[in-house]
Amino acid sequence: MLFTADHEEIRRALQKFIAAEINPFVDEWEKEGVFPAHDLFRKLGALGFLGLNKPVEFGGQGLDYSYALMMAEELGTIRCGGVPMAIGVQTDMATPALARFGSDEVRREFLSPAIAGDAVACIGVSEPGAGSDVASIKTSARSDGGDYVINGGKMWITNGVQADWICLLANTGDGPKHRNKSLICVPMKTKGVQVARKLDKMGMHSSDTAQIFFDDVRVPKRNRIGEEGQGFTYQMLQFQEERLWAAAACLKAHEFIITETIEYTRNRKAFGQSILDNQVVHFKLAEMQTEVELLRALTYRAAEALIAGEDVTKLATMAKLKAGRLGRVLTDACLQFWGGMGFMNETPVSRAYRDTRLASIGGGADEVMLSVLCKMMGTLPGMNQ
């Protein structure tokens, strides 16, 4: 059994926090286009939620990954996608490689404050010409004595406007593109770091997303995570947790939309009966609930394998792919059943429709997930040539 009484105790504490400190303010944050990350993260950090599976010596709880998965699932009860995504960037996207491979010095400087909530982190991988194609990034970190001098730019950076530091993937050599990259912790206040603009997105309105430029940004080499040239490998490992987070975070969010749709269609009358009484409606909702449970089973299986120390690239990729596809189908179907109200921004199904669309793009597009799976299955064209 993946979750124990200890998990449920932490889950209840998180539920209480979300009900008191997040959901009452979501509509306001969505309207403003930003949420107070530093204030909220300090509160989450004080309760230990930002380091459940991080090392105790750097302020974490030292628990296994199942606790992080439980938290990701519970974040799905937040009534928007932007805030949980921002939290997930802090816990499961910008810090896993740092926690696993960083030196004690760099972990004290960057991981400890991230766990405490004293610092907001972001992850810098995507670029205008290299989104899902991670190996093709152009940002460079040239060696200059004991420093790196960074030049380039990053795009679609969640938390980028408010972040205190960025976990940056950059080319640190001229070798093969899978072995010439490093992950480097860069303070955002370093000279030459410029937040060019806050991006205007279709959804995820409460999450600040930035385009960032680096112009001769000088940082000490001690800020590098692990070995030079291993950044691509570290990032691929980090993607396992990111993609599992994406799958887990949508489970309760999807269930909420199903429940809200049942309630609305039960009370909405047309042609002498409730909308819910139409077979096409209640059958579709039953099918969608079944799909959510299937995704939960796959996600839990992948988490158990990760805890056992297995490479879960295949399962995590499948879960991420399924989560993105399901989010599109489910929210589209539910929005249709809301009729004209589904097209109104004031309804939860409309927000879910906008927010969920990112799941098939961010963290690797669906097509990239399919290519990864085909490569692992030996069916990708050109592999045997």
Side-chain angles (χ1 to χ4, degrees):
M1 186 175 177
L2 190 59
F3 298 140
T4 65
D6 290 337
H7 289 85
E8 297 309 320
E9 184 177 349
I10 295 174
R11 188 193 298 273
R12 285 190 295 271
L14 183 56
Q15 288 172 342
K16 184 177 178 181
F17 181 87
I18 291 171
E21 300 289 347
I22 299 181
N23 278 341
F25 309 103
V26 162
D27 290 344
E28 175 186 345
W29 296 339
E30 285 279 299
K31 187 178 298 183
E32 292 178 352
V34 67
F35 78 99
H38 286 91
D39 179 62
L40 186 63
F41 282 16
R42 273 192 291 269
K43 293 175 181 177
L44 284 165
L47 294 172
F49 289 125
L50 298 181
L52 291 177
N53 63 326
K54 298 297 191 296
V56 173
E57 56 267 38
F58 299 101
Q61 303 296 309
L63 302 169
D64 67 42
Y65 180 74
S66 63
Y67 288 85
L69 184 86
M70 176 276 298
M71 178 176 169
E73 183 175 358
E74 208 56 42
L75 291 177
T77 64
I78 296 174
R79 300 308 174 218
C80 69
V83 175
M85 181 175 67
I87 297 169
V89 166
Q90 184 95 346
T91 58
D92 288 69
M93 300 174 206
T95 54
L98 173 59
R100 187 177 295 118
F101 300 109
S103 67
D104 286 354
E105 182 180 14
V106 78
R107 287 190 288 181
R108 278 192 296 269
E109 185 173 353
F110 295 99
L111 181 62
S112 291
I115 290 172
D118 293 331
V120 175
C122 62
I123 176 77
V125 175
S126 295
E127 299 178 3
S132 296
D133 185 7
V134 175
S136 294
I137 64 165
K138 302 300 182 187
T139 297
S140 65
R142 176 177 53 85
S143 178
D144 185 19
D147 296 338
Y148 287 120
V149 179
I150 302 168
N151 284 281
K154 296 294 180 178
M155 188 71 167
W156 307 296
I157 306 304
T158 299
N159 296 348
V161 176
Q162 301 186 75
D164 297 291
W165 63 272
I166 182 169
C167 178
L168 182 75
L169 186 68
N171 295 314
T172 49
D174 298 321
K177 62 182 182 180
H178 295 103
R179 295 195 296 275
N180 72 336
K181 295 169 174 56
S182 300
L183 284 173
I184 306 166
C185 296
V186 180
M188 292 293 285
K189 290 183 179 180
T190 306
K191 182 181 178 182
V193 178
Q194 178 191 0
V195 177
R197 61 188 175 116
K198 178 185 174 186
L199 302 175
D200 184 13
K201 309 185 298 295
M202 181 180 85
M204 301 288 190
H205 291 160
S206 54
S207 167
D208 62 282
T209 309
Q211 181 177 18
I212 303 172
F213 293 133
F214 303 89
D215 183 12
D216 285 340
V217 175
R218 185 176 290 271
V219 296
K221 288 184 177 179
R222 68 172 181 272
N223 286 17
R224 188 185 64 237
I225 296 172
E227 298 179 26
E228 186 172 87
Q230 291 298 306
F232 184 87
T233 299
Y234 296 160
Q235 184 56 43
M236 291 303 104
L237 290 171
Q238 197 161 248
F239 272 149
Q240 293 188 19
E241 293 183 30
E242 176 175 343
R243 290 167 182 168
L244 281 180
W245 184 94
C250 78
L251 296 173
K252 289 199 172 184
H254 288 349
E255 288 176 334
F256 171 72
I257 294 303
I258 292 172
T259 300
E260 289 290 294
T261 302
I262 290 171
E263 186 65 20
Y264 180 79
T265 56
R266 175 176 280 130
N267 294 315
R268 179 80 168 89
K269 307 293 182 181
F271 303 104
Q273 65 177 0
S274 74
I275 301 297
L276 185 62
D277 285 343
N278 290 280
Q279 188 180 78
V280 68
V281 177
H282 56 252
F283 272 19
K284 188 65 174 181
L285 293 171
E287 180 184 344
M288 291 297 97
Q289 185 65 60
T290 302
E291 292 290 328
V292 173
E293 282 304 320
L294 290 169
L295 176 59
R296 178 177 276 115
L298 173 58
T299 304
Y300 284 10
R301 179 188 168 196
E304 289 174 337
L306 183 68
I307 294 164
E310 299 175 23
D311 183 336
V312 297
T313 298
K314 182 177 180 179
L315 292 177
T317 301
M318 287 177 168
K320 164 70 168 59
L321 173 66
K322 181 63 178 177
R325 293 288 178 87
L326 177 58
R328 293 157 68 180
V329 172
L330 186 151
T331 57
D332 183 74
C334 288
L335 187 148
Q336 185 70 21
F337 297 153
W338 284 66
M341 287 306 297
F343 201 64
M344 300 296 102
N345 281 336
E346 66 193 71
T347 56
V349 71
S350 175
R351 181 180 294 167
Y353 182 86
R354 296 191 308 271
D355 288 355
T356 303
R357 188 61 182 83
L358 181 62
S360 280
I361 301 171
D366 284 359
E367 293 74 18
V368 174
M369 300 299 99
L370 289 166
S371 293
V372 170
L373 293 172
C374 288
K375 185 176 181 179
M376 299 185 80
M377 294 167 65
T379 59
L380 197 65
M383 284 189 64
N384 298 317
Q385 295 178 4

